[in-house]
Amino acid sequence: MRVSGPLVEVDGLTAAAMSDLVTLGEDAVASEVVEIRGATVTLQAYEYTGGLAVGAGATLLGHPLSATLGPHLLGRVFDGLLRPLGNAPTWLGTATGWDLEDVPVVWEPGVVAGAHVGPGDRVGTVPDGALLEHRVLVPPGLAGIVQWVAPPGPVGPRDPVLRVAGVPVTVTSSWPVRRPRPVRERLVALEPLSTGQRVLDAVFPVVRGSTVAVPGGFGTGKTVLLQQIAKWCAAQVIIYIGCGERGNEMADVLGELSALTDPATGRPLAERTVIIANTSNMPMMAREASIYSGVTVAEYFRDMGYDVVLVADSTSRWAEAMREFASRSGALPAEEGYPAGLSSALAAFYERAGRVVTLGGEQGSVTIIGAVSPPGGDTTEPVTAYTERFVREVWSLDRDLAYARHYPSVGWSGSFSRDAEQVGSWWSRHGDPDWSGRRARMTTLLADSDRLGELAALVGVTSLSDHDRVTLLAGRLVREGVLQQSSLDTLDEYSSAAKTTALVVAVLAVVDTCRRLVDDHLVPAAELEGADYSLLLRAAAETGAHDDDSVAARGARVQAALEALHHGRGPS
């Protein structure tokens, strides 16, 4: 009856229900029911509607948009509807999902006939050559006696491998993307997730199963930071969603992940990664679907007992797609034209993160890291403001730091971590009771240094007291010696927890030495400001990712050189 971009109105689908899939026209354009008003059904099309005319046919498929989940996910690239892009010259496909490859997988049963199984129980594995063991689980809602088990050996993706209470179970399954997968219990997230980025691990930590927002304007290094996290974080599965971003950025992600080697196995890192590419030139409403497809895949691997990190770049493009469709449908606009349901949609998305006990009794987690791209860097706009209400961490990217070539440009004044206290308690139980104290000292030094820096810009550094001048020096040492990190340096792009701790300890020890020399009137602040700290400041870039001993030795040498100033001698 009507076509307006991705909005299509259809008459005659009397059996349609909300969220049902419908195909349109001869090309079977994929669409989803979003409104039913009498005999008129409103659809949002996930594909290009050019050529679709009034009077074209519409076919109700009778099921919601669902993701096909199985052993062919890892190491591959998909579109927003989870259809493979590996061999596709253009973004084309059918609404019913993609046809699984006819490549058989090797089935290894884990149960025998006569056993009783319940939802989420592990019944076998499929070692498909990836870095992880693919575990075949009993689907949610199914329980009973195993009546038959296929013998070990090759099976097709849709071939039954066992029968439970008369229901065949295959190595693949389907799940509606908008419905969270059920769990037995949600747990308190406690264990820190190592990212390999010092400013995050030492100052703004995240725990497994938490949620993070990364707001930042254009040019602040948002995409590079997310790529670094995807490459180096201590997760077993990475889901990377390129939602409305530029195609060359997705190509960079593919190239870098393919070139990296997993340190534990020596295999390509891409083999434990699922990439959902929905670039800016792809149909607008598929951005909205890509977010839900990605989190459904993340929950699928979580249910196997794995720790999963989902990176969404960026949720602003998803919100913009919702705004465009709402304007076409005539919905009453809320703040800045976004639909009134934006806040609820963001909350529902981030709520699917968490550390859980699965239906099968395994422990797994989904950590969601969502980028936000506020127009003009305005963090008061609705997407940023709503997101900050629902997440546990905010890593706000500072434009001034980025323009000063300080990367990662995570600003300490606009960022926060609600999990810092839990992380400090975790480190106390695991051999580092001083972690919280070091973090508190660094944040205090950074805040005091920023405050004094503004004052010094007005009255000059020489007008400050020696004590305040040492505080300014301490802020510079923390920024340049600990927080600054190069993603292009093979030695510095990843920092282990031990090396990060060694750098923080060394810098704080040097700061304490400077403070004592000034407070005891042994060395003037001007002389300390002119001292050579390059040995310490270059430690991050000149030592290996796990070489904490060399960092400590460099810090000791700088301290000795400072002590020598008091005795009137140069460093040995």
Side-chain angles (χ1 to χ4, degrees), residues 510 532 535-536 538 550-564 571-572:
V510 168
D532 183 11
L535 194 66
L536 179 60
R538 295 199 310 265
S550 295
V551 172
R554 285 170 174 252
R557 290 173 62 184
V558 172
Q559 284 183 267
L562 294 174
E563 294 285 357
S572 58

Side-chain angles (χ1 to χ4, degrees), residues 5 29 37 49 63-64 70 107 134 147 175 180 187 189 287 313 316 328 351 362 364 396 428 434 469 501 511 541 551:
V29 173
R37 184 176 297 178
T49 55
H63 61 81
W107 158 250
H134 189 94
Q147 299 169 325
W175 188 263
L187 302 174
R287 301 178 196 171
D313 185 12
S316 292
R328 291 179 183 273
E351 189 62 25
E362 305 271 3
S396 181
S428 295
D434 299 326
R469 292 173 70 172
T501 299
V511 170
V551 172

